[in-house]
Amino acid sequence: MVHITGTTQFAGVIGWPIEHSLSPVMHNAVYEQLGLDWVYLPLPVADEISLHRVVAAIRALPFVGFNVTMPYKAAVVDLCDEVATAARLAGAVNTVHCVDGKLVGYNTDGRGLLESLEDEVGFVPEGKRVALLGAGGAAGAALVGFILGRASGVDVISRDIEKADDLIDRVIGAAKNTDLGAVTFEDAMSAVQNADLIVNATPLGMNDGDPSPIPAGWLREGQVVLDMVYGRPRPTALFADAVAAGARVIDGLGMLVGQGATAVDIWNEDHVERTPRAPMRAAAEAELARRAAGRERE
């Protein structure tokens, strides 16, 4: 049970819908372990007018920071007083640090992604080819992460080729060691087959019955597949196809934990030790188990 006093500071996550978020249980678990007098709240915001009002209110309240999830990662960029380079390149902010009334925006998704790949399947992107499915905010953060991780090449695969081109144009100046290309899903077979890593940053898989974003026959043994979708009652179609093909597969839970822990590192800047990931992951897995048990009882 979170202990709230008159000195407790706030953190939270802005998004819509937000009731599915695992961030409150993850964050509150690690705040307790670290002895922080903080509480993390879900902040459901239905539209962009309300987003402006909530962010203005946060400036006046004792917030240490807040996270941002769909659909507001791009909109929050313009509401920050300062934006870190990686977030500017990604075109998306998922973490805001409140510093003396100013809002400083970051994107920790890319770091969480790289951390999950290395910790869970021993994959580092340096010198590797990546097929990145999607061109939205999550894909932008992943692309920046792969550029910083010195991947040899990244193909951004999108149904909207102009959106993929816009994303590449935004980051091309930073991609000195990484070849970038924009590809439609219809022309993506060779890009996927030749990739060492395939990352799904599209929403496909979040709903029951969603198809895989790519045909099963494009996957092969030896590849690594990361599907950013997590917490589903059954594996996504992409996850199941990748397992059947002999690929090493992980979902997005490790990335979620990594980005959240990095946010705590930013907010808790005076703390010299790295935020522990284990209690955050354990809290998330316990919450997912609780939800699964509830579905079985229905």
Side-chain angles (χ1 to χ4, degrees):
M1 179 67 72
V2 177
H3 181 65
I4 299 175
T5 71
T7 61
T8 299
Q9 292 183 283
F10 305 136
V13 55
I14 289 176
W16 186 269
I18 204 69
E19 61 270 16
H20 66 285
S21 176
L22 295 172
S23 292
V25 296
M26 289 194 325
H27 278 259
N28 287 318
V30 84
Y31 297 170
E32 181 177 2
Q33 176 151 335
L34 292 173
L36 296 170
D37 187 15
W38 298 356
V39 62
Y40 191 99
L41 306 167
L43 301 169
V45 174
D47 53 54
E48 287 209 17
I49 293 175
S50 300
L51 174 67
H52 284 249
R53 292 171 176 162
V54 169
V55 171
I58 285 174
R59 289 180 184 272
L61 292 168
F63 269 76
V64 294
F66 59 95
N67 291 125
V68 186
T69 188
M70 293 190 296
Y72 300 124
K73 290 183 179 182
V76 167
V77 172
D78 292 332
L79 300 182
C80 292
D81 301 295
E82 299 174 23
V83 177
T85 300
R88 183 71 68 187
L89 290 173
V93 161
N94 80 322
T95 296
V96 178
H97 190 193
C98 303
V99 184
D100 299 328
K102 289 188 176 181
L103 303 182
V104 184
Y106 297 86
N107 196 308
T108 64
D109 283 335
R111 195 180 305 181
L113 173 68
L114 298 185
E115 184 177 305
S116 174
L117 284 167
E118 184 167 7
D119 290 350
E120 297 187 67
V121 289
F123 183 92
V124 292
E126 184 171 1
K128 306 290 177 53
R129 289 207 63 85
V130 180
L132 178 58
L133 312 180
L143 180 57
V144 173
F146 293 132
I147 289 171
L148 295 175
R150 302 169 69 88
S152 63
V154 181
D155 289 303
V156 180
I157 301 166
S158 175
R159 300 198 184 284
D160 185 342
I161 198 67
E162 290 185 4
K163 194 171 181 180
D165 284 332
D166 289 345
L167 173 57
I168 290 173
D169 287 345
R170 197 162 60 236
V171 303
I172 192 72
K176 294 181 174 58
N177 301 297
T178 304
D179 294 328
L180 302 178
V183 188
T184 64
F185 273 93
E186 290 75 15
D187 297 324
M189 182 172 71
S190 65
V192 173
Q193 290 178 332
N194 293 328
D196 301 292
L197 168 70
I198 297 103
V199 174
N200 178 32
T202 77
L204 277 177
M206 296 180 69
N207 300 304
D208 292 339
D210 277 352
S212 171
I214 54 174
W218 292 4
L219 300 167
R220 59 174 171 78
E221 186 176 1
Q223 291 177 316
V224 172
V225 176
L226 188 152
D227 193 338
M228 288 189 185
V229 177
Y230 63 86
R232 298 295 304 155
R234 288 176 290 279
T236 65
L238 173 62
F239 194 105
D241 289 345
V243 170
R248 291 178 291 160
V249 194
I250 55 175
D251 67 12
L253 186 59
M255 177 182 171
L256 177 76
V257 171
Q259 65 79 28
T262 304
V264 178
D265 287 334
I266 291 169
W267 300 336
N268 196 23
E269 56 191 346
D270 294 333
H271 192 73
V272 295
E273 295 180 11
R274 184 174 184 251
T275 299
R277 275 57 175 168
M280 299 181 78
R281 176 129 195 164
E285 290 175 342
E287 176 63 16
L288 289 172
R290 187 192 68 79
R291 293 177 187 180
R295 284 192 295 270
E296 290 179 0
R297 287 194 296 270
E298 291 176 354

